[in-house]
């Protein structure tokens, strides 16, 4: 049975590193951590203290100061690999991770995936013939010795290379090595890792060569693995999903990429945005799940190329394109009723149900207790309803076998309204404009926790103008969005005046709309 020893290189976010280690080891795997010696000692101490009693965690015996493109990254990896090999004799695979990586499959899925084939997963393409390097120097990475960092000491980096070129100090690549290049995020079998460690103990000439190459983390393991392992035991790919822009910068994933990431044929993904707290939580929970089936479409890179290409010619794509619930359907009509006085909106939709027979739901995304049919659990919490809003609404259409649906929504939920208006369905919005007495606004402040039963009258008097302004601001914002199909009825208007916009909103005869608008108790507090 597969047991993974994760090789984690990190330099920040001690709380995130601790959570990652606990998450991965809780599923039966183990982890070796190298924490950059340039980072804060207090952060390192925090990580060691939190994980010291976890037998599935080990730390590199020596911490190196790491720099992008330098040998130190390979050196740090080897430190962690040696610690993992010694500490975890039952580990069958060694998987490179960074602090920006998160699982996009369950541990159960990952183990079954690795057991499927007895192979190594590492990108390794011919260094000189492939087009893996998009920008910058190529053979100069190898044939010249690099003692300076191009990012931190650019002048000396290029000056040194130019002096070597003028003096004819270019060097030969070790004759028996066929140089390879690829992603540094690999997953190797135990026997491959042990063979690499034995090889570098014997071949000091190879170590001397790589120590002064530029960006050796993209060539060292890739070249030696190809040198030691038969080609039919290598899959030239990474199991970590990552994408790069045309400028060689990594693409960052955010909260609304969850569905996209799960459908890719990979086990982990990087880089996850530090601000994507919801995505990190969901992916972290996913790793421990059992029995989860994943539908692999693997369209991430082609989608990114398509959408970024549209952006370059000024063509916009809709928010949350990556979500699986992309459309309600062109033939469907969605009608949203918005009102700050929830009881008024509920009375209106109740009358709509009784008079027209249209399926109508109360505050679907704002009130947990809204009565709903059993839809397999998607309706169980407000978080689930909001996260899968289009899928939920589609299921309500199907449940009632209808193409027309009404639901209530709070005026503050402008982002949800905008999202539904981005759909292909025909969307309409009805605002119910109510009058707000001081007593009602004070009661509202107490209901939402802005004031308590013991709040002094002076405090309430100062609070009232702010609350009244907030209510007016939400109403103004609705009109400023210029939503198509926007209608408005008013408490101060007569039933005859309200019947016309209500008929346009519902798409019913004016007589039916008048019957609804004439409800005597509609606006009663």
């Amino acid at each position: 049975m597969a047991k993974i020893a994760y090789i984690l290189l990190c330099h920040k976010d001690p709380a995130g590193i601790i959570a990652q280690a606990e998450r991965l080891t809780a599923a039966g795997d183990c982890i070796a951590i190298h924490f950059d010696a340039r980072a804060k000692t207090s952060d390192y101490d925090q990580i060691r203290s939190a994980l010291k009693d976890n037998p599935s965690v080990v730390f590199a015996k020596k911490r190196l100061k790491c720099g992008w493109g330098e040998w130190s990254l390979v050196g740090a990896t080897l430190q962690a690999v040696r610690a993992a090999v010694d500490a975890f004799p039952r580990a069958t695979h060694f998987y490179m991770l960074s602090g920006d990586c998160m699982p996009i499959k369950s541990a159960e899925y990952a183990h079954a995936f690795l057991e499927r084939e007895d192979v190594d997963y590492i990108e390794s393409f011919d260094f000189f013939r492939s087009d893996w390097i998009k920008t910058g120097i190529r053979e100069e990475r190898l044939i010249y010795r690099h003692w300076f960092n191009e990012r931190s000491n650019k002048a000396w980096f290029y000056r040194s290379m130019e002096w070597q070129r003028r003096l004819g100090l270019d060097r030969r690549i070790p004759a028996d090595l066929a140089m390879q290049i690829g992603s540094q995020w690999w997953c190797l079998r135990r026997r491959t890792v042990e063979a690499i460690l034995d090889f570098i103990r014997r071949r000091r000439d190879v170590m001397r060569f790589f120590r002064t190459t530029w960006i050796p983390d993209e060539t060292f393991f890739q070249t030696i693995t190809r040198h030691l392992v038969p080609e039919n035991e290598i899959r030239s790919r990474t199991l970590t999903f990552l994408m790069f822009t045309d400028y060689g910068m990594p693409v960052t994933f955010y909260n609304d990429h969850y569905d996209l990431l799960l459908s890719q044929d990979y086990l982990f993904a990087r880089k996850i945005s530090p601000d994507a707290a919801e995505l990190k939580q969901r992916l972290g929970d996913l790793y421990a799940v059992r029995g989860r089936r994943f539908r692999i479409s693997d369209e991430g890179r082609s989608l990114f190329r398509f959408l970024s290409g549209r952006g370059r010619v000024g063509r916009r794509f809709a928010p949350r394109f990556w979500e699986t619930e992309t459309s309600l359907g062109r033939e469907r009509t969605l009608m949203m009723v918005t009102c700050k006085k929830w009881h008024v909106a509920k009375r209106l939709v109740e009358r709509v149900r009784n008079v027209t027979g249209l399926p109508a739901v109360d505050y679907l995304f704002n009130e947990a207790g809204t009565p709903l049919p059993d839809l397999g659990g998607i309706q169980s919490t407000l978080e689930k309803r909001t996260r899968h809003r289009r899928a939920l609404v589609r299921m309500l259409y199907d449940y009632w076998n209808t193409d027309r649906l009404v639901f209530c929504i709070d005026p503050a939920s402008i982002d949800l309204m905008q999202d539904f208006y981005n759909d292909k369905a025909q969307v309409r919005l009805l605002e119910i404009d109510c009058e707000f007495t001081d007593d009602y606004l004070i009661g509202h402040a107490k209901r939402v926790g802005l004031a308590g039963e013991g709040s002094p009258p002076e405090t309430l008097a100062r609070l009232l103008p702010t609350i009244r302004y907030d209510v007016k601001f939400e109403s103004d914002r609705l009109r400023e969005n210029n939503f198509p199909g926007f209608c408005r009825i008013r408490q101060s208007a007569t039933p005859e005046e309200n019947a016309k916009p209500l008929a346009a909103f519902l798409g019913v005869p004016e007589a039916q709309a008048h019957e609804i608008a004439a409800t005597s108790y509609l606006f009663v507090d």
Side-chain angles (χ1 to χ4, degrees), residues 3 5 81 84-85 88-95 114-121 186-202 221 224-235:
K3 183 181 179 69
V81 166
V85 168
F88 309 124
R90 297 179 60 191
T92 60
H93 294 77
F94 295 77
Y95 194 123
L114 294 176
E115 290 168 7
R116 203 173 302 155
E117 286 190 282
D118 186 22
V119 295
D120 296 308
Y121 294 91
W186 40 256
C187 178
L188 301 176
R189 296 167 296 174
R190 184 180 195 92
R191 66 172 174 268
T192 300
V193 167
E194 290 176 341
I196 291 172
L197 294 178
D198 180 63
F199 177 82
I200 63 179
R201 276 193 294 268
R202 292 184 288 106
F221 288 99
I224 296 178
T225 300
R226 281 281 179 188
H227 184 73
L228 299 174
V229 178
E231 185 173 356
N232 63 347
E233 295 181 21
I234 296 175
R235 298 293 175 266

Side-chain angles (χ1 to χ4, degrees), residues 381-398:
T381 66
L382 284 177
E383 182 185 6
K384 284 186 178 180
R385 294 181 208 169
T386 303
R387 182 189 305 157
H388 305 294
R389 49 192 167 274
R390 297 196 192 184
L392 172 65
V393 174
R394 276 207 314 271
M395 293 171 77
L396 290 174
Y397 279 115
D398 295 338

Side-chain angles (χ1 to χ4, degrees), residues 9-211:
L9 264 57
C10 48
H11 64 281
K12 60 181 179 180
D13 189 18
I17 299 306
I18 294 166
Q20 191 176 37
E22 290 175 340
R23 180 189 311 119
L24 297 176
T25 57
D29 294 314
C30 42
I31 188 168
I33 300 174
H34 179 278
F35 196 72
D36 195 336
R38 295 183 191 275
K40 294 179 182 177
T41 302
S42 58
D43 288 350
Y44 181 62
D45 292 342
Q46 180 184 344
I47 297 170
R48 293 213 57 144
S49 175
L51 300 174
K52 67 180 187 324
D53 297 325
N54 190 330
S56 297
V57 177
V58 69
F59 291 85
K61 292 182 180 179
K62 183 179 181 181
R63 293 170 60 205
L64 305 180
K65 293 182 178 181
C66 297
W68 186 91
E70 297 177 4
W71 167 257
S72 54
L73 289 177
V74 177
T77 304
L78 290 172
Q79 289 290 334
V81 166
R82 290 187 182 104
V85 168
D86 293 340
F88 309 124
R90 297 179 60 191
T92 60
H93 294 77
F94 295 77
Y95 194 123
M96 269 287 293
L97 286 180
S98 77
D100 295 323
C101 296
M102 288 292 292
I104 56 175
K105 299 291 187 295
S106 63
E108 180 183 59
Y109 181 99
H111 295 157
F113 183 97
L114 294 176
E115 290 168 7
R116 203 173 302 155
E117 286 190 282
D118 186 22
V119 295
D120 296 308
Y121 294 91
I122 181 168
E123 270 192 357
S124 49
F125 305 104
D126 187 283
F127 186 94
F128 297 99
R129 296 180 183 176
S130 73
D131 63 348
W132 203 87
I133 299 175
K134 302 297 183 184
T135 60
I137 60 175
R138 180 184 288 267
E139 61 273 5
E140 292 88 349
R141 291 187 182 193
L142 308 176
I143 64 174
Y144 297 124
R145 297 163 182 83
H146 297 276
W147 298 286
F148 303 98
N149 190 297
E150 193 264 352
R151 288 193 169 183
S152 60
N153 207 336
K154 189 182 292 287
W156 277 104
F157 178 88
Y158 287 104
R159 190 176 297 157
S160 168
M161 198 163 58
E162 177 62 16
W163 285 350
Q164 292 179 72
R165 186 188 66 79
R166 291 184 179 182
L167 295 172
L169 297 178
D170 53 309
R171 59 180 175 174
R172 293 174 181 248
I173 297 167
D176 58 335
L177 295 185
M179 292 301 300
Q180 305 289 307
I181 191 166
S183 168
Q184 63 269 50
W185 311 111
W186 40 256
C187 178
L188 301 176
R189 296 167 296 174
R190 184 180 195 92
R191 66 172 174 268
T192 300
V193 167
E194 290 176 341
I196 291 172
L197 294 178
D198 180 63
F199 177 82
I200 63 179
R201 276 193 294 268
R202 292 184 288 106
R203 293 294 301 273
R204 297 196 176 186
D205 60 317
V206 171
M207 293 296 281
R208 282 195 301 272
F209 172 78
F210 277 106
R211 282 182 188 277

Side-chain angles (χ1 to χ4, degrees), residues 328-358:
L328 305 179
R330 292 182 185 276
E331 73 285 356
R332 287 172 166 165
T333 301
L334 181 66
M335 293 165 277
M336 296 182 287
V337 176
T338 186
C339 181
K340 203 62 183 179
K341 289 187 176 181
W342 288 10
H343 63 279
V344 175
K346 290 179 183 180
R347 288 172 188 163
L348 182 76
V349 299
E350 181 184 25
R351 290 292 289 149
V352 167
R353 283 192 292 264
N354 295 337
V355 174
T356 69
L358 287 172

